């Protein structure tokens, strides 16, 4: 009897092991990450879905467009069927699962595209991203913007070999437009993380923070304007000065963040400014050129805007009720630039389609007060993200391994250390 019982156990476990792969696949159902390719005309876009059957939730990423975590309305979600939509974007996706494949149809504005998806996360190689252990100290910090009832969460990074009696220079990092985390994570790159690591290894401290209402920061992002974000950055500058640990306190801003740098510099709030493609001109003029350049890079046969007014009307029509857009498109950064008396390192990129130097640098050179420490430089072959890109087309950004050109990093650290000597 004992032998028979043992044989039954052995047979049971053998059968169980044989069934495990089937149980695992059936148990997964639709839940988990999925990825596939959309062929839209001459473009190939990477689509990702994150499905949770238990919570009846689905989010979508369109990687090359920088769209991440778009929440979808779930109409059908079963073990093998899916129907979801984003009504505001006139977008639907329907799919049928067979094993580890989903055959589906993506429809936007009545244009259907077939897509086959497979299980797995979308990943890209990022050789410049630092990994722990780090040779420097980092600290999770919080600072308040009391006028807006906002608390910003960030990472304060000290330079290698930091000691309390030494007072290194420090920069506050301010992100570009759109809700972004402290690493300015975009297109699967983390430029602020890479910059903070580089600065720490070259004697410079930094504070990077999550935008209001995003990640660990409180407040509401939607409805906030560039002026509001400028208030958050000013609170960060006050916080750094209050610590008494640093010598010069500057701002390093990318895109809209660089424009915010001129706004604070005009108030003498910072000791120096590093502007990475920060707008310095009229925004409606800049957006006219940007819209035309990007649309042509993605296959348009003609310009979509002929005048700055065209650009303003187009953007307001495509983003009705967007307070940030209404405020931003009406801005003129030139008066702020004209009042910027601190040293400025204004960097631009030849293949930048968002803030093209051909438009921006004209305003910079005309309006920025003379200062022997000012540097205006344009890098050949770089995009808006300051990595090497043959055309600057943002669609290429996720597939480029380089996060930021080493030459740009070197120039930033050398210039800050030079300015900090005084």
């Amino acid at each position: 009897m004992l032998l028979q019982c043992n044989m039954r156990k052995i047979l049971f476990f053998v059968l169980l092991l044989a069934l495990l792969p089937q149980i695992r696949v059936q148990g997964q159902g639709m839940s988990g990450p999925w990825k596939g390719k959309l062929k839209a005309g001459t473009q190939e876009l990477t689509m990702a879905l994150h499905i949770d059957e238990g919570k009846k939730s689905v989010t979508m990423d369109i990687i090359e467009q920088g769209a991440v975590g778009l929440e979808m309305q779930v109409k059908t979600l079963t073990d093998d069927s899916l129907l979801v939509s984003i009504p505001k974007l006139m977008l639907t996706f329907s799919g049928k699962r067979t094993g580890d494949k989903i055959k589906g149809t993506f429809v936007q504005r009545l244009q259907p595209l077939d897509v086959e998806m497979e299980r797995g996360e979308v990943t890209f190689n990022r050789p410049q991203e630092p990994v722990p252990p780090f040779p420097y100290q980092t600290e999770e910090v919080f600072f308040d913007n009391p006028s807006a009832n906002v608390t910003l969460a960030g990472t304060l990074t000290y330079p290698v070999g930091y000691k309390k009696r030494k007072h290194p220079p420090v920069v506050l990092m301010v992100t570009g437009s759109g809700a972004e985390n402290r690493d300015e994570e975009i297109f699967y790159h983390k430029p602020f993380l890479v910059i903070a690591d580089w600065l720490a290894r070259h004697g410079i401290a930094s504070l990077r923070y999550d935008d209001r209402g995003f990640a660990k920061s409180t407040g509401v992002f939607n409805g906030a304007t560039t002026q509001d974000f400028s208030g958050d950055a000013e609170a960060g500058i006050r916080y750094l000065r209050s610590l008494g640990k640093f010598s010069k306190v500057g701002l390093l801003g990318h895109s809209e963040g660089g424009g915010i740098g001129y706004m604070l510099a005009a108030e003498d709030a910072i000791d120096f400014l590093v502007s990475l493609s920060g707008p310095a001109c009229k925004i409606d003029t800049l957006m006219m050129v940007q819209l035309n350049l990007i649309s042509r890079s993605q296959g348009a046969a003609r310009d979509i805007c002929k005048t700055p007014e065209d650009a303003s009307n187009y953007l307001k029509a495509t983003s009705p009720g967007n307070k940030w857009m209404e405020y931003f498109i009406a801005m003129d950064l030139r008066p702020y630039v004209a009042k910027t008396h601190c040293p400025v390192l204004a960097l631009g990129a030849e293949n930048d389609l968002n803030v093209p130097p051909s438009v921006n640098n004209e305003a910079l050179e005309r309006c920025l007060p003379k200062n022997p420490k000012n540097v205006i430089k344009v890098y050949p072959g770089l995009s808006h993200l300051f990595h090497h890109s043959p055309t600057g087309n943002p669609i290429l950004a996720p597939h480029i391994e380089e996060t930021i050109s080493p030459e740009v990093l070197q120039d930033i650290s050398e210039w800050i250390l030079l300015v900090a000597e005084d």
Side-chain angles (χ1 to χ4, degrees):
M1 285 293 293
L2 183 60
L3 180 60
Q4 289 178 347
C5 288
N6 285 339
M7 285 300 294
R8 287 195 194 102
K9 289 181 181 177
I10 291 168
L11 286 171
F12 173 77
F13 286 118
V14 169
L15 287 170
L16 181 62
L17 289 170
L19 287 171
L20 273 176
Q22 298 176 41
I23 293 170
R24 186 163 51 249
V25 170
Q26 291 171 0
Q28 280 183 307
M30 282 284 195
S31 289
W34 297 82
K35 56 186 177 181
K37 295 289 186 180
L38 286 168
K39 291 186 178 179
T42 59
Q43 299 179 26
E44 186 174 78
L45 303 177
T46 307
M47 176 181 174
L49 293 176
H50 288 83
I51 303 173
D52 189 321
E53 284 185 56
K55 295 181 179 179
K56 294 292 182 183
S57 71
V58 179
T59 62
M60 180 185 70
D61 307 337
I62 302 295
I63 304 302
E64 290 80 4
Q65 295 182 349
V68 178
L70 300 177
E71 293 186 5
M72 309 191 80
Q73 290 187 10
V74 177
K75 298 182 178 180
T76 302
L77 177 52
T78 67
D79 184 69
D80 63 357
S81 297
L82 178 69
L83 176 59
V84 290
S85 67
I86 303 179
K88 286 184 179 181
L89 301 180
M90 299 177 64
L91 181 156
T92 63
F93 176 77
S94 59
K96 187 77 174 177
R97 181 184 69 83
T98 303
D100 283 343
K101 300 284 186 183
I102 295 178
K103 288 190 176 181
T105 303
F106 177 97
V107 181
Q108 187 170 26
R109 300 185 186 276
L110 303 180
Q111 295 185 9
L113 297 171
D114 292 333
V115 57
E116 182 173 280
M117 308 196 74
E118 63 181 12
R119 290 191 187 276
E121 294 276 8
V122 176
T123 59
F124 297 101
N125 186 34
R126 297 289 179 256
Q128 286 180 294
E129 283 187 13
V131 293
F134 302 123
Y136 47 79
Q137 306 171 44
T138 63
E139 181 183 355
E140 179 91 356
V141 299
F142 299 87
F143 60 92
D144 296 324
N145 178 359
S147 63
N149 194 27
V150 167
T151 297
L152 291 309
T155 300
L156 181 58
T157 302
Y158 297 93
V160 173
Y162 171 77
K163 295 180 181 179
K164 290 185 178 180
R165 292 181 180 178
K166 294 188 71 174
H167 289 71
V170 64
V171 294
L172 180 80
M173 298 189 186
V174 183
T175 66
S177 56
E180 293 173 341
N181 64 22
R182 66 193 69 186
D183 296 329
E184 202 193 26
E185 191 167 356
I186 184 171
F187 295 121
Y188 284 75
H189 287 279
K190 298 178 180 179
F192 278 11
L193 172 62
V194 173
I195 294 172
D197 176 79
W198 176 272
L199 295 180
R201 295 171 188 271
H202 291 80
I204 302 162
S206 66
L207 171 57
R208 61 192 197 275
Y209 61 95
D210 303 323
D211 290 341
R212 65 163 67 185
F214 194 72
K216 293 184 179 181
S217 291
T218 69
V220 179
F221 184 88
N222 291 336
T225 67
T226 304
Q227 184 66 52
D228 296 322
F229 299 132
S230 175
D232 293 343
E234 188 171 15
I237 294 295
R238 288 197 302 269
Y239 170 74
L240 288 172
R241 291 196 189 281
S242 73
L243 296 177
K245 296 179 179 181
F246 309 108
S247 56
K248 299 290 180 68
V249 179
L251 185 147
L252 183 152
H254 178 227
S255 199
E256 183 188 19
I260 287 172
Y262 292 116
M263 295 169 71
L264 295 187
E267 299 174 1
D268 295 323
I270 54 179
D271 298 325
F272 61 89
L273 170 63
V274 178
S275 174
L276 303 176
S277 285
C281 57
K282 287 183 87 268
I283 298 299
D284 57 0
T285 302
L286 181 68
M287 296 307 288
M288 175 190 70
V289 178
Q290 178 189 122
L291 287 167
N292 290 335
L293 286 175
I294 291 179
S295 62
R296 282 186 175 271
S297 76
Q298 298 179 2
R302 61 178 68 89
D303 290 343
I304 60 175
C305 302
K306 293 183 179 179
T307 66
E309 185 179 7
D310 287 345
S312 179
N313 292 336
Y314 174 85
L315 290 168
K316 289 177 182 178
T318 54
S319 304
N322 186 320
K323 292 182 180 179
W324 173 84
M325 180 62 74
E326 292 173 0
Y327 188 94
F328 187 67
I329 197 72
M331 288 187 73
D332 184 352
L333 274 299
R334 293 176 300 180
Y336 298 105
V337 175
K339 295 179 181 179
T340 295
H341 297 287
C342 69
V344 175
L345 175 64
L347 304 182
E350 180 186 42
N351 294 341
D352 187 341
L353 306 185
N354 295 74
V355 186
S358 59
V359 176
N360 205 47
N361 282 16
E362 180 183 347
L364 259 180
E365 291 168 356
R366 187 172 67 251
C367 299
L368 187 65
K370 300 300 180 184
N371 186 319
K373 294 181 180 176
N374 286 350
V375 175
I376 300 174
K377 182 174 181 178
V378 177
Y379 298 86
L382 301 190
S383 73
H384 185 62
L385 291 182
F386 287 86
H387 57 200
H388 287 84
S389 175
T391 64
N393 188 340
I395 282 178
L396 299 177
H399 306 284
I400 295 172
E401 291 190 357
E402 181 182 66
T403 294
I404 184 168
S405 164
E407 182 185 359
V408 175
L409 294 171
Q410 185 72 39
D411 286 348
I412 291 172
S413 60
E414 288 183 354
W415 184 83
I416 291 175
L417 293 173
L418 181 65
V419 168
E421 286 179 357
D422 291 348

